[in-house]
Amino acid sequence: MTRKVADCRNTPSVMNCTLTISGEEEEVVRAASEHAVSVHGHEDTPELRTSVRESLEDEKAPA
């Protein structure tokens, strides 16, 4: 199974957050959504989780 990555640097914010989360898709969606709520002040909604899921990228293998 391909690991997924959520990278705050890909989403513009006033905080200039640099957090990157990687793992299996469901755990990354959960962790990134919790981060968006606790750090960035978003509301935990199905729309937020959908947005997070759509922004995930495949983890690149180390060179």
Side-chain angles (χ1 to χ4, degrees), residues 2-48:
T2 302
R3 290 169 48 99
K4 296 294 185 176
V5 175
D7 189 339
C8 268
R9 295 173 297 179
N10 295 336
T11 305
S13 88
V14 296
M15 300 177 74
N16 294 318
C17 186
T18 63
L19 181 69
T20 300
I21 301 169
S22 65
E24 292 185 10
E25 183 170 335
E26 289 308 313
E27 62 189 5
V28 174
V29 169
R30 182 178 60 250
S33 296
E34 291 171 1
H35 171 74
V37 170
S38 66
V39 175
H40 296 286
H42 292 279
E43 188 175 333
D44 190 1
T45 64
E47 292 80 14
L48 172 65

